[in-house]
Amino acid sequence: DIVMTQSPDSLAVSLGERATINCKSSQSVLYSSNNKNYLAWYQQKPGQPPKLLIYWASTRESGVPGRFSGSGSGTDFTLTISSLQAEDVAVYYCQQYYSTLLTFGGGTKVEIK
Amino acid sequence: EVQLLESGGGLVQPGGSLRLSCAASGLSFSSYAMNWVRQAPGKGLEWVSVMSGGGSNSYYADSVKGRFTISRDNSKNTLYLQMNSLRAEDTAVYYCAKRSTWSDAFDLWGQGTVVTVSS
């Protein structure tokens, strides 16, 4: 199985500041035939199901604010919230869909400092 | 409105069985692979199983292989998860999730149903 490791486990950021979350896969999730990274990011607020933010490592889902961006390739990925808003308090998960056996990272909790 | 609605959760004793359902509405259900994902109390997300749109292919996480069976009835727009030989560690919120048209990420999730395995 592909193991997804997120860091940090939690972070506290001031309103309007940048939040950066890292995700590392145990093997590459870049599919050479189409040059796409099979990596997604989700946001989960308390008591709610997860919400898709980013797919193909850097493509924002429709309706997702522009302050959310994804980057990286191969085994190392980053989710950036450029200017943290109060409504962004949540747990964020990365997920690989390269393998038939899908796996999620352990999650990163984002709070307001 | 496009939505997924899970049902069938509850309290079951270790070794028991439970069948979860996920009713889809507002979408062409048979066109999409469907998944079950679970979340133990205070823990992260764990993918459980997937079934292709036509129902011919299915895959399972190692933690549930041989105990859980995924199925679907496209005439009823419903996904199922038959859970047998339940263990305490199967206690979780179970979500159904639809794979996106544009990628294999999950673009639609249900609200979840709670399964508690305890004596």
Side-chain angles (χ1 to χ4, degrees):
Chain A
D1 293 8
I2 299 177
V3 177
M4 307 300 289
T5 303
Q6 286 184 233
S7 63
D9 292 335
S10 65
L11 75 161
V13 177
S14 300
L15 289 172
E17 296 300 306
R18 179 185 300 261
T20 302
I21 300 168
N22 301 302
C23 175
K24 187 175 185 67
S25 57
S26 61
Q27 65 185 75
S28 176
V29 298
L30 174 63
Y31 195 42
S32 56
S33 66
N34 59 10
N35 201 37
K36 287 183 179 291
N37 287 283
Y38 284 54
L39 190 284
W41 289 97
Y42 299 86
Q43 174 194 65
Q44 187 179 32
K45 297 180 180 181
Q48 296 184 19
K51 172 188 173 184
L52 177 63
L53 296 176
I54 303 279
Y55 57 95
W56 299 134
S58 60
T59 301
R60 261 191 311 275
E61 174 74 340
S62 176
V64 173
R67 62 181 181 273
F68 292 92
S69 64
S71 62
S73 185
T75 61
D76 292 279
F77 301 91
T78 300
L79 175 70
T80 302
I81 309 172
S82 60
S83 176
L84 191 74
Q85 304 300 303
E87 61 265 32
D88 301 334
V89 169
V91 179
Y92 294 83
Y93 295 93
C94 61
Q95 178 212 27
Q96 65 79 19
Y97 48 94
Y98 181 92
S99 167
T100 302
L101 302 185
L102 308 170
T103 46
F104 290 90
T108 296
K109 187 175 184 179
V110 174
E111 300 172 308
I112 304 296
K113 184 187 292 184
Chain B
E1 182 187 5
V2 179
Q3 66 176 2
L4 302 172
L5 184 62
E6 302 94 337
S7 61
L11 174 64
V12 61
Q13 292 188 338
S17 298
L18 211 55
R19 188 177 85 152
L20 306 183
S21 299
C22 169
S25 57
L27 65 144
S28 179
F29 182 69
S30 62
S31 298
Y32 300 103
M34 294 294 296
N35 294 260
W36 288 100
V37 177
R38 68 184 181 183
Q39 187 169 35
K43 302 297 184 182
L45 301 171
E46 180 187 15
W47 172 78
V48 172
S49 183
V50 61
M51 174 161 271
S52 59
S56 57
N57 296 304
S58 60
Y59 300 93
Y60 300 89
D62 289 343
S63 58
V64 306
K65 195 178 297 183
R67 300 187 299 123
F68 290 12
T69 302
I70 191 172
S71 62
R72 63 193 296 162
D73 185 337
N74 286 342
S75 68
K76 296 182 178 179
N77 290 344
T78 303
L79 178 74
Y80 302 100
L81 186 67
Q82 177 67 43
M83 303 186 296
N84 299 330
S85 302
L86 283 162
R87 307 166 180 166
E89 54 265 36
D90 296 318
T91 294
V93 177
Y94 284 74
Y95 296 101
C96 61
K98 165 191 162 291
R99 275 204 181 171
S100 166
T101 304
W102 316 114
S103 74
D104 289 337
F106 302 162
D107 66 350
L108 180 66
W109 296 67
Q111 288 297 311
T113 187
V114 177
V115 173
T116 303
V117 184
S118 174
S119 55

